[in-house]
Amino acid sequence: MKNKAAVILLRVFGMLMIAAVIVTCCPAAIPRLAGYEIYNIVSGSMEPAIGVGSVVYVKPCRPHELKAGDIPAFYVNGDVIVHRIVRNDTNEKVLYTKGDANAAEDMNPVPYNMVIGRVERAIPHLGNVIALYTSRQGKVCVLVFLLAGMLLVWVSGRVSPDRKERLEKEQLLQEALVREGLITPKTPKKKAIVQKETDGGGGLARKYRFFMAAASVLLVLLVVVIGLICRVLYRYYSEKDTYEEARAAYVEVITEADPAAEEDGESSSAEEDSVCPVQVDFEELQAVNEDIVAWLYCEGTVINYPVCKCDDDEFYLEHAYDRTPSHSGAIFLEAENAPDFSDANHILYGHHMKNKTMFATLSYWAEQEYFEQHPCMWLLTPRQNYRIDLFAGYLTSAVSDVYTVYQGYGTLLEAYLQQAADSSDFASDVVIPEEGFSYIVLSTCEYQFENARYVLHGKLVPVDFP
């Protein structure tokens, strides 16, 4: 009875594992069979309607049928964008779109031939699960999980007491048929095999012990794999929540799109560019961690983080802004830099996270279109706010001269800045080098070659406090 219960447990556990793989694959597989395209949202331009980590289901449609308020998916330089329609110009056959979280409309209209379809449904957080499945490690884990479930079901069938009884009955039936002369006896070799499998105290017992030992080892490995997967998912969720809570508690967006300002043209744009669109409560932030020296913000992207600094460049690789252990770490300033951003150039580091948080999207600026949509960032400090006018972005090595700190302006810095501009993936009209301004570099890992990094250069332009 005890052995039978163990066999049943193995079979049930194996079938549950197979069912889990099938069920978790359904949100991606079944909609595709129904004609939907599925995309994982990696930026916050459509928040709060569609948050980072959501999955959107896109149904093909005729672009001229789309109306204001619909959310289409469309291509921009090979990337898929999901923004809301402001108006549909059926004469010019273009859509004018805007991200819900963006202050202004998208820079360029969307031609009809770039439209994929209309977003029919968005499911929060499911994107993180699907992203796990689509990654190389995730695919391996899913395959191992499925094969392990199938193996458990097979093992339970091999060691089942019912199988032993069935073999014994087949043996007795075969012997009876031989005595009656209805069949010819099997060769001694095959008969010995049958006898060995029906031997209650011999071969079957040894097989049972072997399979049970193998199943036990397999179960331990599966528990470890499941634990690691759950740990990764929990870590992504908890660390994402850490920064979302920080934004909610310490940051306030204070400017929005103003149609009247858009009609005023350049004068209004200049006025908007002179005032930072967010404000930060540094007093409360520094009460949490005195290492916080700034806040970095880029409208319409996931970049919206506190900036830390300490004397150890390794510390914030593994700790969040509140100094708690964190796989995502924090955005942090180079240890050699002055904490008040008084140097001639500064370096910010951030991880390239697989869920597209922290600095994972820096390489998006390699596309001219993306740069034109996000030509600047904002750096807020307790004593001064800055607009970061981006002027260069490119792939480099972790041991390149990019990571040189200049305390003062001079010919070496001028050559450094000019080399950065000459290496850029996008074209910018930002004037560099220009004395009287400080500069900044944002850096994260890339994987095109060993120790690859993607960097963004920008000019720090002082702006007014709100």
Side-chain angles (χ1 to χ4, degrees):
M1 184 63 68
K2 181 178 179 181
N3 291 342
K4 188 172 184 179
V7 169
I8 293 174
L9 182 62
L10 285 178
R11 183 181 293 115
V12 170
F13 193 75
M15 294 179 69
L16 287 175
M17 291 174 62
I18 296 172
V21 172
I22 295 173
V23 169
T24 51
C25 287
C26 284
I30 294 179
R32 284 197 173 95
L33 294 176
Y36 288 88
E37 295 293 333
I38 303 171
Y39 300 99
N40 181 20
I41 302 300
V42 298
S43 78
S45 62
M46 281 299 294
E47 291 184 341
I50 304 176
V52 175
S54 299
V55 157
V56 293
Y57 295 93
V58 178
K59 187 75 170 180
C61 66
R62 296 175 180 176
H64 69 270
E65 296 176 348
L66 295 169
K67 57 184 183 298
D70 286 344
I71 303 176
F74 50 89
Y75 291 109
V76 175
N77 291 333
D79 292 325
V80 177
I81 307 297
V82 173
H83 279 179
R84 195 179 300 276
I85 295 176
V86 177
R87 61 188 182 280
N88 186 345
D89 190 335
T90 54
N91 294 324
E92 296 293 331
K93 295 185 177 180
V94 294
L95 304 177
Y96 291 87
T97 57
K98 174 183 175 296
D100 288 359
N102 294 349
E105 287 186 15
D106 297 337
M107 184 174 299
N108 298 312
V110 181
Y112 277 5
N113 63 354
M114 292 290 101
V115 176
I116 300 170
R118 176 170 45 215
V119 174
E120 299 292 339
R121 183 177 295 275
I123 301 179
H125 309 303
L126 184 59
N128 294 323
V129 177
I130 292 181
L132 176 66
Y133 273 64
T134 55
S135 67
R136 182 181 303 174
Q137 297 92 334
K139 289 177 180 178
V140 171
C141 288
V142 171
L143 180 61
V144 169
F145 203 74
L146 178 62
L147 292 176
M150 296 172 64
L151 182 59
L152 286 179
V153 173
W154 179 79
V155 167
S156 67
R158 295 291 296 178
V159 301
S160 172
D162 294 336
R163 182 172 186 270
K164 174 187 174 183
E165 294 176 1
R166 186 178 66 254
L167 290 173
E168 290 176 343
K169 289 180 180 178
E170 289 177 358
Q171 177 69 16
L172 292 174
L173 177 61
Q174 181 181 353
E175 291 176 352
L177 292 174
V178 169
R179 285 195 300 269
E180 297 293 331
L182 298 177
I183 62 172
T184 57
K186 290 187 177 182
T187 62
K189 181 179 179 181
K190 290 187 177 181
K191 185 174 181 180
I193 293 175
V194 173
Q195 181 64 31
K196 183 178 180 181
E197 290 211 341
T198 58
D199 182 6
L204 187 60
R206 286 192 296 273
K207 281 192 174 184
Y208 181 84
R209 288 192 296 270
F210 170 77
F211 282 125
M212 287 301 293
S216 299
V217 172
L218 183 61
L219 281 174
V220 172
L221 293 176
L222 287 174
V223 169
V224 172
V225 171
I226 294 171
L228 291 175
I229 293 174
C230 291
R231 182 187 176 193
V232 170
L233 291 176
Y234 173 76
R235 186 170 56 199
Y236 277 144
Y237 279 118
S238 61
E239 293 175 4
K240 179 172 174 286
D241 289 344
T242 296
Y243 285 103
E244 287 181 348
E245 291 169 1
R247 294 174 194 127
Y250 309 117
V251 181
E252 179 183 1
V253 178
I254 57 174
T255 62
E256 297 180 354
D258 185 353
E262 291 178 6
E263 294 177 2
D264 290 341
E266 294 182 3
S267 61
S268 295
S269 296
E271 183 179 352
E272 286 180 5
D273 289 345
S274 66
V275 179
C276 186
V278 296
Q279 62 182 10
V280 177
D281 187 345
F282 280 105
E283 184 176 351
E284 291 294 328
L285 260 178
Q286 291 180 332
V288 174
N289 181 7
E290 61 183 9
D291 287 348
I292 297 172
V293 296
W295 191 283
L296 183 67
Y297 173 74
C298 185
E299 187 178 36
T301 74
V302 298
I303 297 177
N304 190 6
Y305 297 107
V307 177
C308 301
K309 181 192 181 299
C310 68
D311 294 334
D312 180 7
D313 279 339
E314 302 291 326
F315 183 80
Y316 284 107
L317 289 174
E318 299 178 348
H319 293 82
Y321 80 97
D322 56 1
R323 301 184 69 88
T324 58
S326 168
H327 182 66
S328 299
I331 307 302
F332 61 95
L333 180 66
E334 163 67 43
E336 291 185 25
N337 278 129
D340 60 356
F341 291 87
S342 58
D343 293 323
N345 80 308
H346 314 81
I347 306 171
L348 295 184
Y349 303 97
H351 279 308
H352 183 144
M353 301 303 296
K354 291 181 180 179
N355 61 351
K356 301 301 180 182
T357 57
M358 308 310 286
F359 275 178
T361 59
L362 288 192
S363 60
Y364 288 9
W365 271 268
E367 299 291 339
Q368 183 70 30
E369 182 78 14
Y370 194 85
F371 161 72
E372 291 173 358
Q373 293 174 350
H374 309 91
C376 69
M377 297 184 187
W378 301 89
L379 184 74
L380 293 76
T381 76
R383 70 178 186 88
Q384 177 66 62
N385 292 340
Y386 300 91
R387 186 183 70 245
I388 304 176
D389 290 343
L390 301 173
F391 65 86
Y394 52 89
L395 195 67
T396 187
S397 168
V399 294
S400 70
D401 293 337
V402 171
Y403 302 99
T404 304
V405 173
Y406 296 90
Q407 271 77 34
Y409 193 86
T411 56
L412 291 178
L413 178 59
E414 288 182 352
Y416 169 91
L417 297 173
Q418 190 58 57
Q419 183 179 4
D422 293 342
S423 304
S424 180
D425 293 324
F426 59 82
S428 167
D429 58 3
V430 176
V431 177
I432 56 98
E434 187 173 7
E435 191 171 1
F437 290 92
S438 295
Y439 297 86
I440 195 165
V441 181
L442 283 63
S443 172
T444 193
C445 293
E446 282 296 328
Y447 305 103
Q448 285 84 341
F449 55 85
E450 187 176 359
N451 292 324
R453 300 290 186 270
Y454 198 87
V455 295
L456 277 180
H457 291 260
K459 179 165 71 173
L460 293 179
V461 180
V463 296
D464 300 333
F465 278 97

